[in-house]
Amino acid sequence: MSSELDGGDADDISPISVILPAEAAGINKLSLPNDGVVSELQHHFIRSINSTLSIRQLPSQGLSFQLWPAATTLVNLLDDQRSHPETNPLTPILTASRDGSERRTLKVLEIGSGTGLVGIAAAATLGAQVTVTDLSHVISNLQFNVEANASILAANGGFVQVAPLHWGEAIDPELIGREFDLILASDVVYHDHLYDPLIQTLRGFLLGGGNPKMVFVMAHLRRWKKDSGFFRKARKLFEVEVLHTDPPPPGSRIGVVVYRFAAKQSKKPAIGSSNQG
C-alpha cells in the first residue's frame, strides 16, 4: 500500500467523474446567444473578506474550463488562513515568505490555472500580486474571470495578471517572471504524459536560481494508480510533505490532499568531520 506521499492508493477513477458537481457549487447556467456555447457561472463566497467570487465555466470547451474539487480545497484553506492563521497549515509558509513582515506584498504564481479560481482567491485573501497561467487557448476565459472579479481584488489589495505557460518549455522571465514567493496548483497531476513537463517547469522555478525560499503548494485528488509515478520523480528533486488532507466526501474513499514541495536542502558536513591532511 502506497502512502499519501506517493499520491495515495486509491483505485483508478476517471477524471471526468470527479469534476465538482453543479449542485455542490451553486452554479447558475447561462446561455450565450452569440455562439451557442453554454456557460456556467459559479459563485464562491469567501467569508474572510465577506465577498463572492464569480467564475465562468465553459464545460463544452474541455476540462480546463471546469472547476475541479482540489481547487475548492485550496480556496477554503486560503479563506481559513486569513480568518484563523494560528491553526492553518499555510501560515508557516506565508510567514517565511514574508520574512516576518506582514506588509510585504507576496508574489504568487498559479500554474494550470483552469478557471483561475485559486489564483483570484489568493490575490483577494492575501492581498497578493498573482500571475495565473495555463495553455494559450484557456487564456481568454481566465482573463474574463479576472476582470469579473476586479472590484473585489481592488478592494482587498490584490492584483492578478494572466499569461500563457506551456509546461516543459523555456520560461519567459519578461512575460511571467521568476521571483515568486509561492507557486500554487490544483488537480494538475492526472495525465502521465505531462508528469515530466510539469516537473521540468517546477525545476525551472524552484531550482532555477530564483527565490531560494520559493515553495510549491499543490492540492491533488488521486485518480489513477499511476499518479504515484509523478511523486516518485518529484521526490528525487524536491522535499515533499503533506500539509493537509480533506476527508473523503460521502460515497467516496478518497479526499483531496495538499502537498508542499521545496528545493532539497544541501546537507552540510558536521564540524570536524572532514579528513585533515
Side-chain angles (χ1 to χ4, degrees):
M1 180 179 294
S2 59
S3 70
E4 287 180 338
L5 286 177
D6 289 320
D9 61 350
D11 296 330
D12 287 348
I13 301 173
S14 169
I16 298 175
S17 70
V18 287
I19 296 291
L20 191 68
E23 60 269 19
I27 293 173
N28 298 318
K29 291 186 177 181
L30 304 174
S31 177
L32 300 180
N34 293 332
D35 54 14
V37 174
V38 174
S39 69
E40 297 177 355
L41 192 63
Q42 189 249 353
H43 303 289
H44 198 109
F45 182 65
I46 310 297
R47 288 181 173 81
S48 62
I49 58 173
N50 194 32
S51 299
T52 298
L53 299 179
S54 298
I55 300 295
R56 184 178 71 175
Q57 301 182 98
L58 302 172
S60 65
Q61 303 304 297
L63 296 177
S64 297
F65 296 83
Q66 300 176 68
L67 184 65
W68 292 45
T72 60
T73 292
L74 271 187
V75 171
N76 290 338
L77 281 179
L78 288 164
D79 190 9
D80 179 75
Q81 197 283 326
R82 183 178 174 107
S83 56
H84 301 96
E86 65 281 354
T87 58
N88 189 278
L90 296 180
T91 297
I93 294 173
L94 300 176
T95 300
S97 297
R98 288 193 171 107
D99 295 320
S101 174
E102 287 297 321
R103 295 183 179 181
R104 192 172 84 79
T105 300
L106 291 176
K107 296 188 67 176
V108 179
L109 171 70
E110 186 189 9
I111 61 175
S113 299
T115 64
L117 173 62
V118 171
I120 294 168
T125 57
L126 301 175
Q129 180 179 333
V130 178
T131 301
V132 294
T133 64
D134 211 308
L135 297 175
S136 299
H137 72 283
V138 185
I139 294 300
S140 61
N141 193 55
L142 263 176
Q143 189 66 51
F144 177 94
N145 285 331
V146 170
E147 294 173 359
N149 295 283
S151 61
I152 295 174
L153 293 170
N156 290 280
F159 174 78
V160 179
Q161 64 179 3
V162 180
L165 177 63
H166 295 248
W167 300 343
E169 297 183 5
I171 300 166
D172 185 346
E174 293 187 2
L175 182 64
I176 296 175
R178 283 186 183 273
E179 296 293 330
F180 295 99
D181 300 297
L182 175 65
I183 303 174
L184 298 173
S186 58
D187 278 317
V188 292
V189 177
Y190 58 92
H191 282 320
D192 55 352
H193 71 277
L194 294 176
Y195 294 174
D196 287 337
L198 174 56
I199 288 175
Q200 184 176 339
T201 292
L202 291 175
R203 184 173 185 170
F205 283 110
L206 296 178
L207 308 179
N211 180 358
K213 295 182 179 179
M214 190 189 315
V215 298
F216 172 50
V217 174
M218 181 185 79
H220 174 67
L221 180 61
R222 167 102 179 188
R223 293 174 177 81
W224 311 108
K225 293 178 181 178
K226 61 188 177 185
D227 289 2
S228 59
F230 167 81
F231 289 90
R232 285 195 296 270
K233 291 182 177 183
R235 291 203 313 275
K236 294 179 181 179
L237 296 171
F238 312 112
E239 293 180 350
V240 183
E241 65 174 320
V242 174
L243 287 180
H244 169 82
T245 303
D246 273 351
S252 177
R253 295 196 300 111
I254 57 173
V256 174
V257 181
V258 180
Y259 299 88
R260 173 188 178 274
F261 295 64
K264 286 190 173 182
Q265 300 298 313
S266 60
K267 295 182 179 179
K268 297 182 180 180
I271 297 175
S273 64
S274 60
N275 294 327
Q276 301 295 324

